[in-house]
Amino acid sequence: MSQRVNLAQLLEFKRQQRPITVLTCYDAHTAALLQQAGIDSILVGDSLAQVILGYDSTLPATMDMMIAITAAVRRGGPNVFLIGDMPFLSYQTSKADAIRNAGRFLTEAGCDAVKVEVDHRYVDLVADLAKANIPVIAHLGYRPQSAYQTATIVKGRQVEQAVDLVKDCLAMQQAGAVALLLECVAAEVAAEVSKRCEVPVISCGSGPGCDGQVIVLHDVMGLPGGSAPRFVKTYCQVAPMMLKAAQEYVADVAARRFPDNDHCYHMNAENIDAFRAAIKAL
Ligand code: KIV
């Protein structure tokens, strides 16, 4: 992919029923790898608070953290459709805060869109962002920023909740959302939303009937910090490899097997003699 993926292409992928591929990412060099692998889009999730910073929720992510990390990902992945995740309290406080903070993702971090966690109470906010020409993705279903208020993770298993969810999704599209992200929504409901919406619907644990899929990088790669819920397929196990390598390093240093002659720099013989002579008098 030599040109940046744009919104028109994502819509075209949906029209062609060509699945949209998305992963989360939190650093420039992994972003470059993902771009090389042909990923369409990267989401710099506020999940960074958990998988990078070691908090037990996404709430401690701040705007400054998100902007710095998102800008790094853009440097590594100049051609991906880059989504910035608006952290807790960056859009709930006021319309002005929401527009200003969303704008920072576009102007300072080079994003193509921002994502907000919403339900029906946020229709006006999505409309306000859209009116400010900010491409906004509405994240519905399970919403980690309000996890403490939620008894069940999977959404839409009950008919009434499923119908409300479909209504909320249609309202978000109507308000101007350029895409939807459905997290942990019953697959039947998510498929129905995808069928009824013109905008791309990205699934995070919401089944194969959506227009695209996103998963947290650490869960896919088996990196330390990942948690791999049931809906995740883990493609490799990096954490055990890192543990083994760290154990070997510790043992090698302790036993003076590292560094060996191949892993250090030397003076030439002539300089060694001169050096030793020079320090004799010290
Ligand atoms: O923050 C994040 O990584 C997300 C995904 C789980 C969708 O919002």
Side-chain angles (χ1 to χ4, degrees):
M1 229 175 297
S2 55
Q3 281 201 321
R4 182 174 298 179
V5 177
N6 59 33
L7 204 49
Q9 272 168 297
L10 297 186
L11 285 163
E12 183 58 19
F13 293 160
K14 175 174 174 111
R15 205 189 57 74
Q16 294 169 352
Q17 298 185 353
R18 181 282 213 187
I20 298 165
T21 55
V22 191
L23 276 171
T24 71
C25 182
Y26 318 92
D27 71 275
H29 302 295
T30 308
L33 258 174
L34 299 185
Q35 178 172 300
Q36 195 187 338
I39 202 88
D40 296 317
S41 174
I42 289 178
L43 164 68
V44 182
D46 60 357
S47 49
L48 71 81
Q50 292 167 296
V51 299
I52 301 292
L53 300 175
Y55 290 108
D56 61 4
S57 83
T58 60
L59 302 192
T62 66
M63 271 305 295
D64 286 345
M65 277 176 203
M66 294 301 300
I67 294 293
I69 298 292
T70 308
V73 169
R74 173 52 91 205
R75 285 193 287 278
N79 296 337
V80 301
F81 186 86
L82 183 62
I83 305 166
D85 203 4
M86 295 196 64
F88 184 55
L89 298 186
S90 68
Y91 58 96
Q92 293 94 338
T93 44
S94 70
K95 170 180 162 181
D97 282 353
I99 292 175
R100 196 173 301 112
N101 286 324
R104 286 188 66 192
F105 277 100
L106 307 193
T107 58
E108 295 177 40
C111 281
D112 300 297
V114 298
K115 174 172 87 59
V116 284
E117 295 185 12
V118 292
D119 60 13
H120 64 278
R121 295 168 297 178
Y122 286 87
V123 169
D124 288 346
L125 177 86
V126 168
D128 287 335
L129 290 171
K131 228 178 290 167
N133 296 318
I134 293 166
V136 55
I137 297 176
H139 176 158
L140 300 105
Y142 179 70
R143 291 173 293 131
Q145 288 175 17
S146 39
Y148 62 94
Q149 296 173 321
T150 306
T152 52
I153 289 184
V154 180
K155 304 296 177 190
R157 278 187 162 148
Q158 311 305 326
V159 175
E160 198 181 332
Q161 193 183 53
V163 172
D164 284 348
L165 198 48
V166 174
K167 283 187 195 160
D168 287 358
C169 289
L170 293 172
M172 291 302 162
Q173 173 175 265
Q174 178 73 22
V178 297
L180 305 180
L181 188 152
L182 299 184
E183 182 164 354
C184 295
V185 170
E188 298 75 10
V189 181
E192 196 60 44
V193 170
S194 306
K195 221 185 306 165
R196 284 166 184 257
C197 282
E198 283 161 27
V199 298
V201 178
I202 308 298
S203 154
C204 178
S206 300
C210 293
D211 306 305
Q213 300 293 328
V214 61
I215 307 187
V216 169
L217 180 81
H218 287 53
D219 298 342
V220 170
M221 303 292 175
L223 282 160
S227 60
R230 196 176 89 77
F231 63 80
V232 166
K233 181 170 172 189
T234 301
Y235 285 79
C236 63
Q237 288 290 355
V238 176
M241 287 167 61
M242 289 175 74
L243 175 63
K244 185 166 174 288
Q247 285 168 333
E248 286 174 13
Y249 170 77
V250 168
D252 277 359
V253 172
R256 298 191 182 281
R257 286 188 295 267
F258 177 84
D260 58 17
N261 215 25
D262 292 342
H263 295 99
C264 52
Y265 305 103
H266 291 288
M267 285 177 146
N268 61 35
E270 197 180 303
N271 280 350
I272 293 174
D273 290 343
F275 166 66
R276 287 190 179 141
I279 59 166
K280 240 183 205 151
L282 295 183

